[in-house]
Amino acid sequence: MAGSKLSLFGLTGGRLGSRRLPSEVRTALALEPHERVISHALIPEGDFAVATTHALHLPGGRRLPWHLMDKAVWDEEGVTVTMTDGVSHRISLPEPGLLPETVRERVTASIVASRRVQLDARGGVRLVARRVPGYDTPRWEFIFDPGLDPNDPGLRALAEQALEEVRRSLGV
């Protein structure tokens, strides 16, 4: 690629990356101990979406930890990130650079185990064990099928029972 230079965050001057993250943006992130920047992308409002070793940082101080991210769906205009609690965040990213690859790698790396279990005739739950920075043991989450009430005590009891069976079978 003529005229492009390799930098810590990808190709500068090229379609795959952007320039170095401005120091004022990096300072405003309020990173946790041992958290470091991996990649970033400029968003249309002139701010940045920044991927670190622990989370995806969005404008306005929103921090989306990898271990709480259920999925990220990319299209030509940007990404929609859905958290394990069902809350979605939409970000316009006309030139995402290395961000899609970073998000995929970090979310995948956080998962220790994932099993879907049918609870009853209404549906099931996905049981997901994830690595959480700073903790030695994985954190288990229940991701209920759409339409199921995660606060229903009967469903919670069935999910807890299923979790114990899965933990025993996996040794996790």
Side-chain angles (χ1 to χ4, degrees):
M1 284 185 175
S4 295
K5 297 178 185 173
L6 200 56
S7 79
L8 180 63
F9 301 107
L11 295 172
T12 58
R15 191 173 184 285
L16 288 178
S18 58
R19 290 180 169 66
R20 190 173 282 277
L21 186 65
S23 61
E24 62 274 10
V25 174
R26 183 183 295 270
T27 301
L29 290 175
L31 301 178
E32 294 177 350
H34 308 291
E35 183 176 12
R36 62 181 176 76
V37 171
I38 300 173
S39 65
H40 66 278
L42 184 64
I43 62 173
E45 296 81 25
D47 211 335
F48 290 84
V50 180
T52 69
T53 51
H54 295 182
L56 178 62
H57 294 261
L58 304 179
R62 288 180 293 170
R63 184 176 192 281
L64 309 179
W66 303 122
H67 67 278
L68 297 178
M69 205 176 279
D70 186 35
K71 65 182 173 180
V73 178
W74 297 85
D75 59 34
E76 292 110 19
E77 297 172 9
V79 64
T80 301
V81 176
T82 304
M83 306 305 286
T84 57
D85 63 3
V87 174
S88 291
H89 304 272
R90 176 75 185 161
I91 311 138
S92 289
L93 291 167
E95 294 188 36
L98 298 174
L99 213 52
E101 292 87 351
T102 303
V103 169
R104 179 183 317 275
E105 185 275 328
R106 298 311 301 176
V107 172
T108 301
S110 75
I111 298 171
V112 175
S114 179
R115 295 286 187 274
R116 186 184 179 290
V117 177
Q118 188 71 23
L119 296 176
D120 62 18
R122 297 174 290 169
V125 64
R126 197 162 24 107
L127 307 169
V128 184
R130 295 181 187 255
R131 291 178 187 86
V132 179
Y135 293 91
D136 293 332
T137 58
R139 174 182 172 193
W140 284 91
E141 297 177 329
F142 299 134
I143 303 171
F144 289 90
D145 287 351
L148 294 183
D149 180 4
N151 298 315
D152 177 321
L155 286 177
R156 291 294 293 188
L158 290 171
E160 292 281 351
Q161 182 180 6
L163 175 59
E164 287 311 310
E165 292 172 19
V166 167
R167 289 180 74 174
R168 243 189 330 273
S169 72
L170 296 176
V172 180

